[in-house]
Amino acid sequence: MEKELKKEFMGKAISLAMSNVVNLKGGPFGAVIVKDGKIVGKGSNQVTVINDPTAHAEIVAIRDATKNLNTFDLTGCEIYSSCEPCPMCLGAIYWARLDKLYYASTKEDAAAANFDDSHIYKEFALKKDERNLHSIQMMRDEAVKVFEEWIKSENKIAY
C-alpha cells in the first residue's frame, strides 16, 4: 500500500481522536481497521460515554470491523491507532489476528496526558502472588471438564 494512503488512514484515526476531544465524546484516542485499501472498521474511545472500561478505540474498531466483515478473524487487515495501544488493546489486536499495527503517539505521550498504563506492564512482570490484584484459583477440577468437552466436540469452531 502506498505511503500516502497509509497517511490518510492514520489521519482518520487521529481525526477520530480529535473529534472525541472537541465534542466531549470520550478519551483522546481513535483507530481504524483497513482491509484491501478500504476502511472496514473505525472506533474512538467511548469509555466514559457508555461506562465501559473496555471501550478503547482499538476495541471499538475491532468490534466494528468484525461486525462489518462478519468474521472474528481479521487476518488480512491492518489497524491504524492514534496512539500506541495499551496492554488490553494490544492483546485484542493479537486475538483478532490483525496483520500489522501502525500507531502515531507513544505510550509515553499518553502517560504525559494522564493515560499511564505502565503499572499494568509492571504487574504483568510480577509473580501472581506479588500482584496488586489478588488471584485465587478454585474449582479447577470442575472447570477442566469444560475443556475436556471442548476437545471432544466435533461441532466446535476453532479460533
Side-chain angles (χ1 to χ4, degrees):
M1 193 176 317
E2 58 187 70
K3 190 174 184 176
E4 286 304 311
L5 199 50
K6 289 180 182 186
K7 286 175 77 171
E8 182 180 319
F9 296 139
M10 184 59 78
K12 178 65 176 171
I14 294 168
S15 176
L16 286 167
M18 183 61 83
S19 178
N20 251 21
V21 173
V22 171
N23 296 309
L24 303 174
K25 296 283 187 183
F29 303 96
V32 297
I33 296 178
V34 174
K35 182 172 185 163
D36 299 326
K38 295 165 84 173
I39 294 176
V40 296
K42 59 186 176 182
S44 56
N45 181 286
Q46 298 178 11
V47 171
T48 59
V49 177
I50 63 172
N51 294 319
D52 180 353
T54 68
H56 290 197
E58 297 89 346
I59 302 290
V60 174
I62 288 169
R63 290 173 181 162
D64 190 42
T66 57
K67 178 182 156 215
N68 293 335
L69 296 174
N70 195 33
T71 182
F72 56 83
D73 184 344
L74 295 179
T75 299
C77 297
E78 301 174 338
I79 188 166
Y80 293 77
S81 179
S82 66
C83 185
E84 185 175 1
C86 75
M88 175 184 68
C89 292
L90 189 58
I93 289 166
Y94 274 101
W95 275 111
R97 295 182 180 92
L98 288 151
D99 290 354
K100 198 171 284 187
L101 160 67
Y102 295 92
Y103 64 92
S105 56
T106 66
K107 60 185 175 185
E108 292 80 16
D109 297 325
N114 291 320
F115 292 96
D116 187 1
D117 51 18
S118 63
H119 66 285
I120 299 172
Y121 288 104
K122 290 175 186 170
E123 285 282 308
F124 285 167
L126 297 173
K127 294 178 183 173
K128 288 180 195 171
D129 61 347
E130 295 174 356
R131 295 178 183 166
N132 287 326
L133 177 64
H134 299 284
S135 301
I136 299 99
Q137 183 182 20
M138 55 186 284
M139 298 182 68
R140 180 179 179 270
D141 291 340
E142 291 83 352
V144 168
K145 291 175 184 168
V146 177
F147 287 118
E148 291 168 356
E149 280 302 309
W150 171 261
I151 291 166
K152 289 190 285 186
S153 175
E154 294 180 16
N155 299 319
K156 65 182 170 240
I157 298 173
Y159 61 96

